[in-house]
Amino acid sequence: MDPACFLLVTLLTLCATPAPAHGARVLTPGGAGAVTKAQQGGTSSTSSNATAADEYLAPHNQARAAVGVAPLRWSADLASAAAKTVAQQQRQGGCAFADMGASPYGANQGWASYRARPSEVVALWVAEGRYYTHANNTCAAGRQCGTYTQVVWRRTAEVGCAQASCATGATLTLCLYNPHGNVQGQSPY
């Protein structure tokens, strides 16, 4: 894919107490426009939903296996909550990132200027791992690692995700994690 024709921004929204170890920053896509539809993976028994759940789970669990962390389970409840949130962002937020400050779950959000596949978005979160140093639990200066550390957070057991397609062709992706990760002072694995 031509990097010039796509834009992806990621956000880790944390709902942890104490404060997150990796600072979250709020990024919103500009001018996303009206909504065409919302997609949710894994909430019914149809093969397309099972495939969507697999598209989210496979890159999560590959990253977790790479650092010796148990695989995540798909949660239909978290996927349903994520679907409600992205649908609301379609209607009210113009496909902007949701404010997840009151959520009891960890959250990774991604925005792409095109119709991104779930596995592409998760792969970009995982790619932040190149900036993370486990030995001292830090992220390289000027870089973000919070979406990666949420993906591989040892205590997180389940995930549920959803996507919204915007009228502009953009994609908003949200994954919710239970229990949340990125607890200040703790290492992800």
Side-chain angles (χ1 to χ4, degrees), residues 53-104:
D54 291 342
E55 274 200 70
Y56 290 109
L57 273 175
H60 274 91
N61 288 335
Q62 288 169 357
R64 293 172 68 83
V67 296
V69 177
L72 294 174
R73 295 181 311 272
W74 185 256
S75 167
D77 290 340
L78 291 176
S80 179
K84 288 177 186 174
T85 301
V86 295
Q88 179 179 351
Q89 292 309 107
Q90 284 178 318
R91 288 188 308 275
Q92 299 171 0
C95 283
F97 284 145
D99 177 0
M100 301 302 296
S103 174

Side-chain angles (χ1 to χ4, degrees), residues 23 152 165:
V152 298
S165 296

Side-chain angles (χ1 to χ4, degrees), residues 145-173:
C145 297
T147 57
Y148 167 73
T149 55
Q150 176 58 78
V151 167
V152 298
W153 197 264
R154 178 179 303 279
R155 290 190 181 107
T156 299
E158 57 185 1
V159 65
C161 307
Q163 284 188 323
S165 296
C166 309
T168 61
T171 306
L172 175 64
T173 304

